[in-house]
Amino acid sequence: MSRGRRQGENIAVEPISLDVLLASVGKEVGVSPWREVTQTMIDQFADATDDHQFIHCDPERAKNETPFGGTIAHGFLSLSLLSAMTFETMPPLEKGKMGVNHGFDSLRFLAPVKTGTRIRTRFVLADVKVRPSGWVQTAHEVTIEIEGSRKPALTARWLTLTLIERQPEAA
């Protein structure tokens, strides 16, 4: 099953069972590949969100007027890349019909992501709740690291829901 891409290459991440998921609580369950954050990405994000603040979109002004030495990614761009990094890294749940973002219990932006740097995400499975409705809620402690930096771009507790196929009850 193709779950994402890395430099034009498909990445196959094999599904895991609910039992394996439950046994993984408290463990680091994945580290994504490094992903470069380019000015093109930042500009496209600015266009999509109407956030054209100069610290993101004007390299010359950002170089001269900020302590960053150039443009930086929007915090929400870094956050939104979690989806892609998840698909590149995290195994889907067997019999999962669909997954949805359920939100964040916490989120902190800790360091700017400078244009041209690379980021990756570490995923620690913090909690799993299996609901009678067939939804499985997971909570991951995620850390987006910046290559060459001791300080991460962000940390968050991310909640997702996966709807799994319900098994027919035995008669």
Side-chain angles (χ1 to χ4, degrees):
M1 170 190 287
S2 176
R3 299 273 300 156
R5 64 179 175 78
R6 176 179 20 194
Q7 297 176 0
E9 174 183 323
N10 285 337
I11 297 173
V13 180
E14 295 299 318
I16 61 169
S17 69
L18 182 56
D19 289 339
V20 169
L21 182 71
L22 290 166
S24 300
V25 172
K27 298 178 184 173
E28 182 173 275
V29 293
V31 179
S32 73
W34 289 105
R35 171 180 291 267
E36 184 179 359
V37 178
T38 66
Q39 188 64 52
T40 299
M41 292 168 65
I42 294 168
D43 291 341
Q44 290 172 340
F45 190 84
D47 289 342
T49 61
D50 284 334
D51 181 353
H52 294 93
Q53 186 179 14
F54 82 93
I55 66 173
H56 307 303
C57 300
D58 187 336
E60 192 61 31
R61 188 172 172 202
K63 179 181 176 184
N64 294 326
E65 296 181 30
T66 73
F68 310 124
T71 55
I72 60 171
H74 303 73
F76 286 121
L77 169 57
S78 299
L79 181 66
S80 69
L81 289 172
L82 278 175
S83 294
M85 291 187 278
T86 297
F87 283 118
E88 293 173 335
T89 307
M90 301 300 295
L93 194 53
E94 283 179 353
K95 300 180 182 168
K97 296 174 79 172
M98 64 176 226
V100 295
N101 187 353
H102 194 51
F104 294 88
D105 277 344
S106 64
L107 171 63
R108 292 290 180 267
F109 297 104
L110 301 172
V113 175
K114 295 178 182 180
T115 304
T117 59
R118 297 190 322 160
I119 61 173
R120 70 177 176 191
T121 301
R122 290 190 177 276
F123 298 88
V124 173
L125 182 60
D127 192 28
V128 177
K129 293 179 181 163
V130 181
R131 298 178 177 179
S133 61
W135 288 98
V136 176
Q137 178 182 303
T138 57
H140 285 90
E141 298 293 339
V142 295
T143 302
I144 295 184
E145 301 174 329
I146 305 167
E147 190 173 39
S149 174
R150 290 183 303 155
K151 199 170 198 179
L154 68 85
T155 59
R157 183 178 175 95
W158 186 21
L159 306 177
T160 58
L161 293 170
T162 301
L163 182 61
I164 57 174
E165 293 177 22
R166 296 179 65 139
Q167 300 300 312
E169 294 185 25

